[in-house]
Amino acid sequence: MQRISVHISNETKQRIDLLAKAKNKVESELIREALDAGLKIISPKINSAKALVNLSKMAKDIPSKPNDPTDVSEDTAKYAFGGHDE
């Protein structure tokens, strides 16, 4: 686990203290749970199919040269790691 430091208001600290006592948890555990829940709301994981669609949309904006391959399903290592003629 990584340690981070954040500044919170006195009111937030009091709410954490009260909730930790009510749930019989240590503050750090409660804060981790709250952060995980909040991150799921603001940045939900997307399924793999949607990720591929998003990737294909981003690929349209990548500049290319006229002789660049349009299908790199063959020789993927060549295109991913080099050796492709410029």
Side-chain angles (χ1 to χ4, degrees):
M1 269 190 218
Q2 296 288 319
R3 179 182 292 266
I4 64 168
S5 177
V6 297
H7 292 86
I8 58 175
S9 69
N10 290 335
E11 179 186 345
T12 300
K13 174 67 168 117
Q14 288 174 343
R15 291 175 65 194
I16 291 169
D17 290 343
L18 290 173
L19 192 56
K21 287 176 186 173
K23 291 185 170 268
N24 198 27
K25 294 184 177 189
V26 293
E27 292 176 0
S28 57
E29 181 182 5
L30 184 71
I31 292 168
R32 281 191 295 272
E33 289 174 1
L35 282 170
D36 287 341
L39 288 171
K40 286 178 185 175
I41 292 169
I42 64 173
S43 181
K45 290 183 180 178
I46 57 175
N47 64 38
S48 58
K50 188 171 182 179
L52 289 173
V53 170
N54 291 345
L55 182 61
S56 67
K57 288 178 182 176
M58 290 186 330
K60 291 178 184 178
D61 297 331
I62 297 173
S64 61
K65 298 174 187 168
N67 293 336
D68 283 348
T70 56
D71 181 2
V72 293
S73 61
E74 294 181 19
D75 297 324
T76 54
K78 174 181 165 184
Y79 298 117
F81 303 110
H84 157 217
D85 294 332
E86 302 271 334

